[in-house]
């Protein structure tokens, strides 16, 4: 039986095989669970639509609360794009239709574009990204400056533009994009967005920025940015909404079947409490169940309600996440992809015109 951590995936090994794994491997097995529940499928469909050539979207913002499952969406999007282009990839191995990277948090006071381009180049399999040189021509004289010496990131940017075109990449996904916003305000933030927008325009790629509700401030920079951007809201499952409660229960039941214990627990009696305690976010739910599983494995594989309660978020943690989530939901409720109608847009336009007219 395989024991490599990369192979500890539900579907690659059976539940009976999972029961024979070590404690650490059982936890890795459960962590590897990826469920494409209804909300994820909705989000994936919207993102795939925006990534189509000529869709009119340069930058898509995938926004949602912590623990809602944004990383699962990113992984699912990457797999779908690759699957859709398998034949073209086989015919041309240099073709990379999609790249996924994480916006770097270098520890510096400001966002590091040097590290950003380095990570993106590595994802695109571009060699020697740290040794690119900028060549300039002035008064008939050619000057070469090594980017690695700290002079400029221009050469790295040009290299990225060239490799994106060569690889024919159509979609660049930047996870943890909130790092772009660190210590930025006003013109600096607008300049960052302009740099991303120009990269999209020059290379013909769609950029998908993934993060929390903080990302929404990018949409408020200018009308030009808003015109070519779109927000996809990855919503949580709401309590009190019958369809959401049913979808949450179905997902909980699927997760329950993936718990590698001889006697799997029946979690359905706790569904309402788990939905409230996880703020309706499947990622948080998985964290809770993983902690409960760890306690059970340390308890000779015996599951109990007390272990589940011990694994729940504290009240202060839950309240903090819920407050941040509700505030974010209110912030972007009128800005998400597909939220507009002809009637609502007409009324909004009239309200803005009246408001501007009253102040002039």
């Amino acid at each position: 039986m395989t024991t490599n951590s990369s192979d500890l995936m539900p579907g690659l090994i059976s539940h009976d095989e999972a029961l024979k794994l070590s404690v650490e491997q059982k936890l890795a097995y459960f962590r590897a669970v990826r469920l494409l529940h209804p909300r994820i499928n909705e989000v994936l469909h919207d993102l795939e639509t925006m990534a189509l050539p000529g869709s009119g979207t340069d930058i898509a913002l995938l926004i949602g609360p912590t623990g809602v499952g944004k990383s699962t969406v990113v992984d699912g999007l990457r797999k779908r794009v690759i699957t859709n282009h398998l034949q073209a990839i086989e015919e041309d191995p240099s073709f990379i239709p999609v790249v996924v990277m994480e916006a770097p948090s270098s520890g510096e006071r400001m966002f590091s574009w040097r590290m950003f381009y380095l990570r993106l180049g590595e994802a695109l399999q571009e060699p020697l990204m740290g040794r690119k040189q900028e060549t300039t021509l002035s008064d008939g004289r050619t000057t070469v400056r090594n980017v690695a010496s700290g002079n400029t990131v221009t050469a790295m940017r040009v290299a990225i533009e060239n490799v994106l075109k060569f690889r024919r990449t159509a979609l660049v996904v930047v996870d943890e994009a909130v790092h772009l916003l660190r210590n930025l305000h006003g013109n600096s933030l607008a300049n960052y967005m302009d740099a991303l927008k120009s990269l999209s325009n020059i290379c013909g790629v769609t950029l998908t920025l993934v993060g929390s509700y903080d990302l929404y401030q990018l949409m408020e920079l200018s009308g030009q940015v808003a015109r070519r951007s779109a927000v996809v809201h990855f919503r949580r499952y709401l309590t009190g909404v019958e369809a959401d409660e049913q979808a949450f229960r179905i997902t909980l039941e699927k997760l329950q079947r993936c718990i590698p214990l001889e006697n799997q627990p029946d979690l359905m009696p706790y569904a309402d409490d788990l939905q409230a305690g996880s703020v309706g976010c499947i990622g948080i739910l998985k964290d809770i169940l993983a902690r409960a599983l760890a306690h059970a494995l340390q308890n000779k594989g015996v599951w109990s309600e007390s272990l589940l309660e011990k694994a729940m978020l504290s009240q202060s943690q839950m309240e903090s996440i819920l407050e941040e989530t509700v505030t974010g939901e209110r912030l972007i409720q009128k800005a998400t992809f597909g939220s507009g109608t002809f009637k609502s847009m007409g009324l909004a336009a009239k309200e803005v015109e009246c408001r501007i007219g009253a102040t002039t």
Side-chain angles (χ1 to χ4, degrees), residues 131-149:
R131 299 179 64 84
K132 300 299 181 184
Q133 294 179 325
E134 179 189 359
T135 301
T136 58
L137 183 64
S138 178
D139 297 328
R141 300 181 60 185
T142 300
T143 303
V144 177
R145 290 186 292 177
N146 192 329
V147 174
S149 67

Side-chain angles (χ1 to χ4, degrees), residues 82-211:
I82 290 176
T83 299
N84 292 337
H85 293 85
L86 273 180
Q87 183 175 345
I89 293 172
E90 290 175 359
E91 294 173 354
D92 179 8
S94 70
F95 176 39
I96 301 180
V98 56
V99 293
V100 176
M101 62 169 292
E102 183 175 313
S105 178
S106 63
E108 301 174 7
R109 188 175 64 86
M110 304 293 284
F111 180 74
S112 173
W113 283 102
R114 188 185 308 281
M115 188 173 291
F116 176 83
Y117 291 135
L118 178 63
R119 294 260 182 95
L120 181 52
E122 290 171 349
L124 289 163
Q125 301 176 22
E126 173 70 1
L128 302 175
M129 276 302 299
R131 299 179 64 84
K132 300 299 181 184
Q133 294 179 325
E134 179 189 359
T135 301
T136 58
L137 183 64
S138 178
D139 297 328
R141 300 181 60 185
T142 300
T143 303
V144 177
R145 290 186 292 177
N146 192 329
V147 174
S149 67
N151 293 321
T152 177
V153 296
T154 301
M156 296 181 84
R157 165 66 182 237
V158 171
I160 288 297
E161 291 175 2
N162 290 335
V163 73
L164 281 170
K165 294 174 185 176
F166 174 75
R167 297 294 193 185
R168 295 185 287 133
T169 304
L171 179 62
V172 175
V173 182
V174 182
D175 204 357
E176 299 295 342
V178 70
H179 294 156
L180 285 164
L181 309 178
R182 295 291 187 229
N183 301 314
L184 284 181
H185 305 282
N187 291 336
S188 295
L189 187 55
N191 290 339
Y192 276 29
M193 200 62 175
D194 286 342
L196 292 174
K197 187 163 65 67
S198 68
L199 186 66
S200 173
N201 291 336
I202 292 170
C203 303
V205 302
T206 299
L207 292 172
T208 298
L209 307 182
V210 183

Side-chain angles (χ1 to χ4, degrees), residues 275-306:
Q275 185 172 355
S278 64
V279 198
C281 295
I282 300 303
I284 296 178
L285 171 66
K286 241 186 89 176
D287 290 341
I288 292 171
L289 298 183
R291 285 194 293 270
L293 172 61
H295 287 304
L297 292 172
Q298 292 297 321
N299 192 37
K300 299 181 180 180
V302 178
W303 184 283
S304 68
E305 181 178 322
S306 63

